[in-house]
Amino acid sequence: MQNVVLEFSDRKVLDEAVRHIWDRLAISGEISIAPREDGGWRLEIVSEKPIRPNTVDKLGGRIVED
């Protein structure tokens, strides 16, 4: 399992990243979205298979934990 945490300042970019994860990458596992106190969003991905670093970079968020 791989755990990746990203932060987004724009909800629209976050929604596009989530759609990309489910529809295009077909990553199996869990996704958690939580609002941050500063108005941004936190996306946690727990994937059953490894996610390549360049794939994570393309999602558009700032990597917090990898």
Side-chain angles (χ1 to χ4, degrees):
M1 288 215 171
Q2 181 180 6
N3 187 19
V4 178
V5 179
L6 301 167
E7 289 184 346
F8 293 82
S9 58
D10 184 353
R11 179 63 194 234
K12 183 177 178 181
V13 175
L14 169 66
D15 290 341
E16 290 173 7
V18 171
R19 271 194 298 279
H20 185 76
I21 291 167
W22 287 126
D23 298 340
R24 299 183 120 206
L25 300 177
I27 292 176
S28 58
E30 297 179 15
I31 290 181
S32 171
I33 299 171
R36 292 186 352 223
E37 289 183 16
D38 67 358
W41 300 91
R42 185 176 180 100
L43 171 65
E44 182 176 0
I45 305 165
V46 180
S47 176
E48 293 177 351
K49 62 181 182 178
I51 305 171
R52 294 181 298 197
N54 63 338
T55 301
V56 173
D57 292 339
K58 291 179 183 178
L59 294 176
R62 183 176 66 87
I63 299 173
V64 179
E65 297 175 28
D66 188 6

